[in-house]
């Protein structure tokens, strides 16, 4: 039994959603948390959460929309989260200075509004942070009661330590399987209880399928790698990962 704590599942990426769900089951994936971070995706992913028992949701507004997000969008987000019991987190939300640095203020504002919402609704957060570690940590420190996952963590051991001290877990995925990945050394050094697994599919496909479209069904490849790095039996590791996931998300 494995839970994919972060994936994207829409018709934009997959022609046949039924088939994806079936393949996941065959691969031993018992639950998936679908991340919808564009208001235009909410309706579609809610329909999947209703149709498939294994689908849970993480709903938010991605920093890439910081400059065009309206008050109405934020109200819509709140209403969606409140009215769907399968929403288990607010996310992915955060800062992304990789694509644009010109709207840092707007990104921070959108990020904070959603952190307030998570606080108000007592939900964990899924954090997207790209080329923005210092600001991400500074802002999260203003919300000490929140917990959640640093999605697709790829930072240093020092950065990992800061997040862990703040009570966050690290989302680890396909990058762990890449040759020359520095993530292996960091993962080797951090306690297992602070790790949850994710694919971020359709992106970041693990080896040996790197370059192909990712799917939750490839999560066992990440598990294999983690089991090798941590020198722990896979069955035992899966139990720990389920506990870690349930420690963050109510599911
Ligand atoms: Zn994502």
């Amino acid at each position: 039994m494995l839970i994919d704590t972060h994936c994207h599942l829409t018709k934009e990426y997959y022609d046949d959603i039924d088939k994806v769900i079936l393949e996941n089951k065959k691969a031993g994936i018992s639950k998936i948390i679908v991340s919808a971070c564009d208001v235009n995706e909410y309706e579609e992913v809610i329909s999947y959460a209703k149709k498939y028992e294994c689908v849970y949701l993480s709903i938010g507004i991605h920093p890439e929309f910081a400059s065009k997000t309206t008050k109405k969008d934020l109200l819509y987000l709140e209403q969606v989260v409140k009215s769907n019991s399968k929403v288990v987190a607010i996310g992915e939300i955060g800062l992304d200075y990789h694509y644009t640095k010109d709207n840092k203020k707007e990104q921070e504002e959108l990020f904070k509004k959603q952190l307030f919402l998570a606080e108000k609704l007592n939900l964990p957060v899924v954090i997207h942070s790209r080329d923005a570690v210092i600001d991400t940590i500074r802002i999260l420190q203003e919300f000490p009661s929140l917990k959640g996952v640093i999605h697709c963590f790829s930072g240093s051991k020092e950065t990992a330590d800061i997040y862990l001290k703040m009570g966050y877990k690290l989302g680890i995925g396909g990058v762990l399987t890449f040759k020359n990945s520095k993530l292996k050394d960091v993962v080797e050094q951090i306690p297992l209880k602070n790790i949850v697994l994710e694919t971020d599919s359709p992106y970041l496909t693990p080896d040996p399928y790197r370059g192909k479209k990712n799917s939750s069904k490839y999560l066992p490849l990440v598990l294999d790698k983690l089991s090798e790095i941590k020198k722990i039996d896979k069955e035992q590791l899966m139990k720990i990962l389920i506990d870690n996931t349930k420690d963050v998300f109510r599911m």
Side-chain angles (χ1 to χ4, degrees), residues 6-8 35 37 62 92 126 128 151-152 198 200-201 203:
H6 189 114
C7 60
H8 298 272
S35 167
C37 43
H62 196 278
E92 57 199 278
V126 176
H128 172 102
H151 149 62
C152 194
E198 60 171 50
D200 200 21
S201 51
Y203 313 107

Side-chain angles (χ1 to χ4, degrees), residues 37-49:
C37 43
D38 173 345
V39 288
N40 298 309
E41 287 179 333
Y42 295 173
E43 221 172 294
E44 184 182 352
V45 298
I46 289 165
S47 77
Y48 301 146

Side-chain angles (χ1 to χ4, degrees), residues 65-76:
F65 305 112
S67 296
K68 59 174 182 184
T69 299
T70 61
K71 240 183 190 168
K72 213 175 129 200
D73 292 334
L74 283 156
L75 284 170
Y76 175 46

